[in-house]
Amino acid sequence: MKNDVNGVALGVLIFFFLAVTVIGFLAARWRRADNALHLEEWGLGGRSFGTWVTWFLLGGDLYTAYTFVAVPAAIYGAGAAGFFAVPYTIIAYPLVFLFLPRLWSVSRKHGYVTSSDFIRGRFGSKSLSVAVALTGILATMPYIALQLVGIQAVLDVVGIGGSDSTNWFVKDLPLLIAFGVLAAYTYSSGLRAPALIAFVKDALIYIVIAVAIIYIPYKLGGFDDIFHKASAAYAVKNPATGKPRGSLTVAPQAQWAYATLALGSAMALFLYPHSVTAVLSGKSRTVIQRNTAILPLYSLMLGLLAMLGFMAVADGVGKNIKGYNGQLAIPQLFENVFPSWFAGVAFAAIAIGALVPAAIMSIAAANLFTRNIYKDLIRPNATPEEETRVSKLASLVVKVGALVFVLSMDKTVAINFQLLGGIWILQTVPAIVGGLFTRWFHRWALLVGWAAGMAYGTWKAYEQSSATQSHFGGNSDTIPWIGRIGYIGLTAFVLNVVLAVVLTLVLRAVKAPEGTDETSRADYTAETGETEVPPLAPEPAPSV
């Protein structure tokens, strides 16, 4: 924690924070519907967003404070291994081009608000639907917490966060204020708030990256000096482990872990609840197809952003400070190199880059709870107005949970818990993506495969230790039968799929009852259409 406050940077940060707060509350009047108390309005923006709004919303959703803080921090701490986020976003877009338009079409046709709605409709199984919903909620919580860690890192560097006060309330008051404002405008405006704020957020990020990639190398003597200093710093051995800190390239023994982490993360990226929420807010199938084509522009920005980790090492950020928190490295680099006023702009980009996705994530998790737990299990006859009220309250509870996580846990573990969320989300791929293309899988087989993947992934992640953690200290372990170190989530996914295939064959052989599929082949390629709610729909088969 710094003892002095950067007044100019703080002033700029407060200005942008107030600006997006006003935008957040005014968003409630933007494209206002006749009946705002409907979950499709509050939680999906009325499914009315065009190409550019959806592009900014998805960009704000996917490229977050994690992007600005944790990815360069991983490179700052370990070198090239942190670059895994760059290839996985490149791999993701060809994959999602195949299935996201199908998810949008069938969801629009049947009025699905969440991916679990689709699972229930496709497989006729509330159990599988609830399992996917709980997975989404659990995976989202540490992701929201990571956004709050990004805000806290900015507050620490600017000089007003994490004060030396022994009173926890005083110590974390700035973060509590930011959290309170976020909760208020999300409750009031729903998805429209982050959709509008995303324009400001993305504009700031592009400006900061464009300046940083030119100005910082100029100040540090050019890229030759940056890579030379970084290489020397990574070569220094850790006295505790006897191993080098990192390297400029991925070591041969780490390449399997790097590749499998990138592939597994790419497969899971667009199945997070907040990604699905942003996709379903689009007004047409064409909007989704266009976005899968133009979103890779953000990957170019991400590659440049990741380079900041090397620049922080070259600048000597945190050098000779025992136990330095790498999450502070990039904000500290900005303060060291930029003029105070532009450091404030950069801090605002990080802070707003946390507010936008945190809002979308809390809405997405609330939608899952309301539609697939509250309505399906507790109040089957809940009205649209009741659904909206419950979802608003649930979004507040989700944010409080994430805040408690941040205030009670060591900040350096945030990224590992978010990566644990990635392991969990990956286990929903067979049901969601598989279900978008085939009805062959049996619902019970998918449920058993999901449970096995979740259990194996969590168990193996729990066993991983690091210099600072006894458990959940990493996300890679030995791959059975192959003997290489690889991403735990991908190994768990393979186990999941194998069980789902084998058990489907067995259950079909014994003619186990299957749920009712309420979708048709044409639903998956429909461009637009009114939400289909048949007035005299046949009673579905009993769910299990």
Side-chain angles (χ1 to χ4, degrees):
M1 166 63 192
K2 292 174 46 176
N3 294 320
D4 57 324
V5 176
N6 187 331
V8 175
L10 177 60
V12 175
L13 174 61
I14 291 174
F15 168 79
F16 280 107
F17 182 77
L18 293 176
V20 298
T21 299
V22 172
I23 292 172
F25 284 109
L26 290 178
R29 304 183 178 210
W30 178 48
R31 299 184 179 183
R32 192 167 191 168
D34 293 335
N35 180 15
L37 283 178
H38 196 291
L39 198 56
E40 287 198 6
E41 291 297 333
W42 183 83
L44 291 181
R47 302 184 192 262
S48 63
F49 298 152
T51 299
W52 289 111
V53 175
T54 304
W55 186 68
F56 279 107
L57 183 63
L58 275 168
D61 194 6
L62 300 173
Y63 298 89
T64 67
Y66 164 75
T67 311
F68 235 126
V69 173
V71 170
I75 293 168
Y76 167 84
F83 263 101
F84 80 93
V86 179
Y88 98 63
T89 59
I90 296 170
I91 296 169
Y93 294 113
L95 297 178
V96 300
F97 186 83
L98 299 176
F99 72 83
L100 280 186
R102 295 176 69 86
L103 179 61
W104 181 91
S105 290
V106 72
S107 298
R108 179 63 178 265
K109 187 71 174 177
H110 291 273
Y112 300 148
V113 175
T114 68
S115 54
S116 290
D117 283 353
F118 163 69
I119 295 298
R120 186 189 64 243
R122 180 62 152 162
F123 296 100
S125 174
K126 284 185 180 178
S127 298
L128 185 58
S129 170
V130 169
V132 171
L134 289 174
T135 304
I137 294 170
L138 285 173
T140 301
M141 293 291 288
Y143 218 154
I144 299 174
L146 197 62
Q147 310 315 312
L148 299 180
V149 167
I151 297 175
Q152 196 166 49
V154 167
L155 296 176
D156 282 356
V157 171
V158 83
I160 61 170
S163 72
D164 295 330
S165 172
T166 56
N167 185 306
W168 70 268
F169 180 78
V170 174
K171 181 178 180 180
D172 295 303
L173 182 59
L175 182 62
L176 294 173
I177 293 172
F179 164 83
V181 172
L182 167 66
Y185 68 64
T186 303
Y187 185 93
S188 170
S189 304
L191 194 64
R192 287 176 171 84
L196 275 183
I197 296 172
F199 283 88
V200 179
K201 172 253 183 188
D202 287 355
L204 287 176
I205 285 180
Y206 273 109
I207 290 170
V208 170
I209 294 303
V211 172
I213 205 66
I214 297 171
Y215 184 77
I216 297 179
Y218 167 75
K219 295 288 288 186
L220 297 182
F223 279 104
D224 278 351
D225 278 1
I226 289 172
F227 287 125
H228 177 75
K229 292 176 181 177
S231 180
Y234 289 137
V236 175
K237 293 184 178 180
N238 185 325
T241 64
K243 297 180 180 180
R245 171 179 169 181
S247 65
L248 290 178
T249 58
V250 179
Q253 64 270 23
Q255 288 175 1
W256 269 76
Y258 181 90
T260 53
L261 176 57
L263 177 59
S265 299
M267 293 168 62
L269 180 62
F270 275 87
L271 295 183
Y272 277 97
H274 54 281
S275 301
V276 173
T277 295
V279 167
L280 297 188
S281 70
K283 70 179 181 180
S284 72
R285 180 185 175 92
T286 303
V287 164
I288 307 307
Q289 292 171 325
R290 287 173 181 162
N291 269 273
T292 58
I294 62 178
L295 273 168
L297 286 172
Y298 280 97
S299 296
L300 173 62
M301 180 271 298
L302 179 59
L304 299 175
L305 178 62
M307 298 287 289
L308 296 177
F310 292 135
M311 296 178 196
V313 174
D315 189 50
V317 171
K319 188 176 181 180
N320 300 324
I321 300 178
K322 187 176 181 180
Y324 182 74
N325 181 2
Q327 306 291 336
L328 304 180
I330 303 310
Q332 189 63 59
L333 172 68
F334 289 158
E335 183 174 60
N336 291 353
V337 176
F338 286 145
S340 292
W341 69 270
F342 195 78
V345 174
F347 295 155
I350 298 174
I352 298 171
L355 293 174
V356 170
I360 305 170
M361 291 169 190
S362 65
I363 290 169
N367 289 347
L368 282 170
F369 172 80
T370 302
R371 293 280 291 203
N372 308 116
I373 297 177
Y374 180 79
K375 185 174 183 179
D376 281 355
L377 302 181
I378 302 172
R379 290 272 293 177
N381 297 320
T383 65
E385 291 80 7
E386 184 179 352
E387 285 183 28
T388 305
R389 286 194 293 270
V390 170
S391 197
K392 285 184 172 184
L393 292 174
S395 73
L396 296 179
V397 173
V398 168
K399 293 187 192 74
V400 170
L403 184 66
V404 170
F405 179 92
V406 169
L407 297 182
S408 61
M409 300 289 289
D410 186 334
K411 309 306 180 295
T412 59
V413 309
I415 188 171
N416 284 327
F417 274 97
Q418 187 273 326
L419 292 171
L420 177 62
I423 293 173
W424 293 336
I425 284 293
L426 196 53
Q427 308 319 308
T428 67
V429 170
I432 299 176
V433 179
L436 287 169
F437 291 94
T438 179
R439 185 60 172 77
W440 182 80
F441 287 106
H442 196 284
R443 55 182 177 163
W444 296 348
L446 286 170
L447 187 60
V448 172
W450 165 85
M454 289 285 288
Y456 177 87
T458 305
W459 166 48
K460 285 298 182 180
Y462 176 82
E463 287 187 335
Q464 306 310 306
S465 61
S466 68
T468 57
Q469 295 172 245
S470 299
H471 302 289
F472 299 114
N475 52 40
S476 296
D477 194 23
T478 303
I479 304 173
W481 298 296
I482 295 178
R484 301 273 192 160
I485 300 297
Y487 179 40
I488 292 169
L490 203 57
T491 307
F493 167 75
V494 172
L495 173 64
N496 182 345
V497 172
V498 169
L499 283 174
V501 170
V502 172
L503 289 177
T504 293
L505 292 171
V506 172
L507 291 167
R508 287 189 177 280
V510 300
K511 294 181 168 38
E514 298 186 42
T516 301
D517 181 4
E518 68 180 26
T519 70
S520 66
R521 184 185 296 271
D523 295 343
Y524 294 88
T525 55
E527 171 59 32
T528 57
E530 294 300 320
T531 296
E532 183 180 274
V533 184
L536 296 175
E539 288 294 322
S543 298
V544 178

